[in-house]
Amino acid sequence: MDMVRTKLSRLLPVVAASAGVLALAACGSGGTTNAASSSTPSTTASPTSTTATTVASSPSSSAPASSPPAQPADNGLCKAGDVALSLGQGDAGAGSVYRPLLIKNSSSKPCEIQGFPGVSYVAGNDGHQVGKDAFREGTKGNAVKLNPGQSAVADIQFVNVRNFDSGTCQPTAVKGLRIYLPQETASNFVPTDGTACASTKIPGNQLSVKTVHTP
């Protein structure tokens, strides 16, 4: 019995020592694993920040070409720039003189004219009107077609201003006539010296005009 106790007493230190070694080994192994795990870089890539660039479309610096102004339609009527005007020789009447207004197509294309021209006296350097417009006498005639170089006529009556009371008439020297062709907004000037009534209150008409007709 004493012999068995002696053997056990010898084995216990060895077992204890072995257990300590195993414990140390286990601790050492656990520390190595944790260290390795902590030193291993993460395989999860951090998201890359992307900056979005917005390109604003700037308006074109060049303005669109402007369209040319619309030209008036060519309706075939004689315009102020298509004709040359003059006064023909006159015939004297009772206190009046009748003279033909000659309307010549001076352009290179045919044109048409119909109706009454607008007629008035003008004076001064500014061409201001003197008295009333010419009275339209009679009815509107047929259209007259003028080829280049051809002429039409409109008869004008010039009343002698001495037929009117001078106080009412207000006699004024004039330089000529302003003429508007029928249906035209631009005018022509026909020079003629004379005297006209500046007043618009005279009893009667100092100018009268008839419709355009062929000579």
Side-chain angles (χ1 to χ4, degrees), residues 79-97:
K79 308 294 193 298
D82 297 331
V83 298
L85 304 183
S86 62
L87 287 172
Q89 295 299 316
D91 296 323
S96 299
V97 175

Side-chain angles (χ1 to χ4, degrees), residues 96 132-135 157-159 164 202-208:
S96 299
K132 295 189 297 184
D133 296 344
F135 174 76
Q157 178 186 11
F158 299 84
V159 175
F164 305 106
I202 58 174
N205 304 297
Q206 63 178 343
L207 285 173
S208 296

Side-chain angles (χ1 to χ4, degrees), residues 6 64 91 128 171 189 204:
T6 301
D91 296 323
H128 64 273
F189 173 73

Side-chain angles (χ1 to χ4, degrees), residues 70-77 79:
Q71 297 297 319
D74 185 1
N75 54 14
L77 298 178
K79 308 294 193 298

Side-chain angles (χ1 to χ4, degrees), residues 20 26-27 33 41 46-47 49 54 62 66 99 134 138-139 155 158 162 166 211:
C27 290
T33 302
S46 59
S49 60
T54 303
S62 58
S66 58
R99 301 182 66 180
T139 58
D155 298 311
F158 299 84
R162 287 180 293 182
S166 61
T211 189

Side-chain angles (χ1 to χ4, degrees), residues 87 99 121 158 173-177 190-196:
L87 287 172
R99 301 182 66 180
Y121 282 118
F158 299 84
V174 295
K175 291 188 174 182
L177 301 173
V190 178
T192 181
D193 295 329
T195 303

